[in-house]
Amino acid sequence: MKVALIDYGAGNLRSVANALRELGVEPVIAAAPQDLTGATHHILPGVGSFGDCMAQLDQRGLTRAILGWVSAGKPYLGICLGYQILFDDSEETPGVRGLGVVPGT
């Protein structure tokens, strides 16, 4: 198992990484699409604003990679904001589109 922790410049990466290590899993920190290569699982531990998160994912080229991964039915765990971005959009940041995997706001 190779777990990629998706880094968009915010989020509680260290806490989740420590929890995974406690379970015997050494995560890979993924801040760019190429960092996701070979991963069997993706985790996006989110903290912050929906709009800022989506902007950072777009800037880092991660939006398309995450959408393709989730759409293919591969293992993805979105924690807090990492789950919220799966929706079409958010009341928190009107006008900013999410990944649209889950219909709704």
Side-chain angles (χ1 to χ4, degrees):
M1 176 182 337
K2 181 178 175 185
V3 177
L5 279 179
I6 299 170
D7 179 7
Y8 62 97
N12 49 351
L13 288 178
R14 190 174 311 178
S15 297
V16 176
N18 287 338
L20 287 168
R21 288 184 188 110
E22 198 60 34
L23 295 171
V25 177
E26 184 60 40
V28 172
I29 306 301
Q34 62 269 21
D35 300 335
L36 299 170
T37 303
T40 59
H41 298 73
H42 289 181
I43 299 176
L44 199 158
V47 173
S49 153
F50 185 94
D52 291 342
C53 177
M54 290 305 300
Q56 284 297 313
L57 290 174
D58 285 343
Q59 285 179 3
R60 294 167 187 245
L62 289 164
T63 304
R64 188 175 307 210
I66 295 168
L67 181 56
W69 181 271
V70 173
S71 295
K74 296 179 181 178
Y76 172 86
L77 173 62
I79 301 171
C80 193
L81 185 57
Y83 182 78
Q84 293 172 33
I85 66 165
L86 295 176
F87 285 89
D88 292 323
D89 49 32
S90 170
E91 292 176 0
E92 179 181 63
T93 316
V96 174
R97 300 289 301 161
L99 296 177
V101 175
V102 179
T105 302

